[in-house]
Amino acid sequence: WRAAAFRAYVVANGLALHAVGATLPLRRGPLTESWQGTRGMRLALARAGFRDVATGRVGRSLVVTATAG
């Protein structure tokens, strides 16, 4: 049940980041876990002030590059 609960937290954080631009930490501290696809990463980086965001794939991994704004 713990693994399923953690996966649910990761997905929920991904949705939160996509919807409102913020995530909730699992424990005290700044670290969080979330899942993001291409669109979510573009939105998150744009909200953080990055520009020239480019995404691609290497195998099954999402690769993102951006320029600090």
Side-chain angles (χ1 to χ4, degrees), residues 26-66:
L26 185 60
R27 297 183 182 97
R28 287 186 178 184
L31 299 178
T32 65
E33 293 265 353
S34 72
W35 177 89
Q36 289 302 313
T38 302
R39 185 168 185 270
M41 286 304 302
R42 286 179 175 277
L43 287 171
L45 289 169
R47 286 179 184 140
F50 286 87
R51 56 186 173 79
D52 303 323
V53 179
T55 59
R57 296 255 176 213
V58 175
R60 296 178 62 193
S61 299
L62 174 63
V63 178
V64 182
T65 59

